[in-house]
Amino acid sequence: MDKVNRWTAEIALLNQWFSETEMQHNIKWGSDVYSVGKRNVLGIAGFKNFFAIWFFEGHLLADHQEVLVNAQEGKTKFLRQWRFTDIAELDKNTVMAYVFEAIENAKTKQKSI
C-alpha cells in the first residue's frame, strides 16, 4: 500500500483548514508542519493504517474528546497524536477547537521565552 499517497484528500482538507489560521506552513521532516513564531504547533502526515495530526505540545491540551494518544509511549513526553482512518471522521469544529487551543498554548510559551 502506498502510505504517502493513500491519504492525499484527507491531508489536503486539513491543510486547507489550517491555512485559515495564523499558523505558518512549512515542510519539516518530509511532513506538513505548522508553527506560530518560532514554535512548532502541529504536523500532519499519512501512515500505513491512519493519517494523523500531531501536536508538539499535546500534553498541554485539555483533550475533552479523549482522542489524543502518546505518539511513542516511553519515548515522547509532550507529543500527542490524533489518528483518523477515514475522512468522515473529520469534524471541522472539533478539530479546530484543538488547533486553536494549541495555537494559544504556543503563543503563551513564545511570550515566556
Side-chain angles (χ1 to χ4, degrees):
M1 184 169 309
D2 184 354
K3 72 177 184 178
V4 174
N5 295 315
R6 177 175 181 192
W7 308 108
T8 304
E10 293 83 352
I11 290 172
L13 180 60
L14 291 171
N15 276 318
Q16 178 186 340
W17 292 352
F18 300 161
S19 71
E20 298 169 3
T21 71
E22 64 188 276
M23 296 186 293
Q24 297 83 41
H25 176 258
N26 303 287
I27 300 293
K28 295 183 180 180
W29 311 287
S31 297
D32 296 287
V33 174
Y34 288 84
S35 58
V36 172
K38 295 184 179 186
R39 299 205 64 89
N40 291 331
V41 177
L42 62 87
I44 51 178
F47 300 90
K48 183 177 178 181
N49 297 315
F50 61 90
F51 62 101
I53 304 169
W54 69 86
F55 295 93
F56 287 93
E57 301 276 347
H59 69 293
L60 297 175
L61 296 174
D63 195 17
H64 297 292
Q65 301 295 319
E66 298 180 357
V67 294
L68 302 178
V69 297
N70 189 310
Q72 292 181 306
E73 199 64 51
K75 291 186 179 184
T76 61
K77 293 183 180 182
F78 306 121
L79 192 70
R80 297 291 183 272
Q81 281 186 349
W82 187 349
R83 298 176 180 174
F84 305 91
T85 58
D86 190 286
I87 198 166
E89 297 174 15
L90 295 175
D91 175 74
K92 185 175 183 179
N93 291 331
T94 305
V95 169
M96 295 309 291
Y98 278 75
V99 170
F100 289 130
E101 182 182 354
I103 290 170
E104 289 307 311
N105 289 343
K107 289 164 67 174
T108 300
K109 286 253 188 183
Q110 186 78 25
K111 289 177 187 176
S112 67
I113 296 177

